[in-house]
Amino acid sequence: LTQRMLKSYCQVGQDHFYIKPVAQLKKAVALYQEGLDFLSDFRNVAGVAASLDEINAIWPEYKNLITARPNKKNVPELVILNEKLLKLAHQIVLDLTAESGKELGKIVNVSGRQRMLSQRIELYYLLRDWGFTKQSYLDTLATARREFTEGMAYLNNYPKNTKEIKALLENTVASYSLFEHSLNNKGNAFLVSLTVTQLLKQMNTATNLYSKSSNKL
């Protein structure tokens, strides 16, 4: 959700209104707050309370900036805050995965992370398109692309995939492969957005399927 928020912010800032980024941003902000409220029930899990406290200290500032009229000058600060929130949220996921003690905990985590990576790829593509060519940003885009490919390989090799999940993963790999070359060039924001939206839906479905399997154990 943090990746989606900043992605939508960049879309509005560049006058890319093809997927209603203003509405997407408002929805992501609301869902993020709901998620924080939900996670408060798990503060007793080791490490979660400390991460939540840090998130709650950063979130108000990030929320104020991300919901204001897009300003290119604010992007570097937003990126810094975004990275902090993402790191803390990922740590919570790791702590909850460790607490669950289930074999499927990791596969759910990896599948869910693919959703984040799809948004992250588009975010850093948009930053580059907007003129932010700082080497660390370019490196982050390259890393996200590599990690998404590695994540798909991990999921495809999971021995307990159902036929439904196998078919879904095959479609996801095909979708990503078809548009990957578009990420190498500027001016493909519309195509990137369409494909990333598809990837997000596919990986959201996969994550839900893995979660249902996990709940049965």
Side-chain angles (χ1 to χ4, degrees):
L1 288 170
T2 51
Q3 307 308 288
R4 185 186 293 187
M5 288 180 220
L6 188 48
K7 179 193 77 172
S8 297
Y9 184 95
C10 290
Q11 287 172 329
V12 176
Q14 296 176 73
D15 295 324
H16 296 327
F17 293 102
Y18 35 79
I19 60 166
K20 300 180 180 179
V22 175
Q24 292 277 357
L25 176 56
K26 289 181 179 179
K27 182 178 179 181
V29 169
L31 287 173
Y32 191 84
Q33 185 61 61
E34 288 179 16
L36 286 181
D37 295 340
F38 175 80
L39 286 171
S40 64
D41 292 338
F42 298 89
R43 293 181 67 88
N44 61 319
V45 175
V48 171
S51 294
L52 279 177
D53 288 343
E54 288 191 61
I55 288 175
N56 285 319
I58 300 170
W59 170 236
E61 180 183 0
Y62 184 77
K63 182 180 178 181
N64 286 338
L65 285 172
I66 205 74
T67 54
R69 182 185 294 275
N71 187 329
K72 197 171 181 179
K73 293 181 180 179
N74 291 334
V75 169
E77 183 178 359
L78 279 166
V79 170
I80 292 172
L81 295 174
N82 185 285
E83 291 298 309
K84 289 180 179 179
L85 290 172
L86 177 64
K87 183 178 180 180
L88 289 165
H90 183 58
Q91 185 57 52
I92 290 176
V93 172
L94 294 178
D95 290 336
L96 291 176
T97 300
E99 179 72 11
S100 72
K102 294 180 179 180
E103 176 190 356
L104 277 169
K106 184 176 180 180
I107 204 72
V108 172
N109 179 12
V110 172
S111 181
R113 192 167 186 270
Q114 292 297 92
R115 297 181 297 186
M116 180 278 291
L117 287 171
S118 71
Q119 302 301 290
R120 191 167 177 78
I121 288 169
E122 185 176 4
L123 164 59
Y124 278 88
Y125 176 88
L126 287 168
L127 287 173
R128 189 184 67 187
D129 241 19
W130 207 0
F132 293 96
T133 56
K134 187 178 178 181
Q135 190 58 48
S136 62
Y137 291 6
L138 300 179
D139 290 344
T140 298
L141 174 58
T143 298
R145 293 174 65 177
R146 186 188 73 249
E147 290 180 347
F148 187 88
T149 299
E150 292 172 349
M152 292 312 303
Y154 181 88
L155 295 175
N156 272 302
N157 290 326
Y158 184 64
K160 295 184 180 180
N161 284 334
T162 63
K163 289 183 178 179
E164 184 179 7
I165 290 177
K166 286 180 179 178
L168 185 60
L169 295 178
E170 287 177 5
N171 289 335
T172 305
V173 170
S175 298
Y176 184 69
S177 298
L178 284 173
F179 102 111
E180 197 171 14
H181 70 279
S182 300
L183 296 170
N184 297 324
N185 303 303
K186 292 184 177 181
N188 290 326
F190 179 64
L191 177 59
V192 169
S193 181
L194 287 178
T195 308
V196 166
T197 298
Q198 184 178 18
L199 291 174
L200 178 63
K201 290 179 179 177
Q202 291 168 329
M203 293 316 306
N204 190 52
T205 300
T207 303
N208 289 334
L209 290 172
Y210 282 127
S211 295
K212 289 178 181 178
S213 297
S214 177
N215 289 333
K216 292 178 181 178
L217 296 180

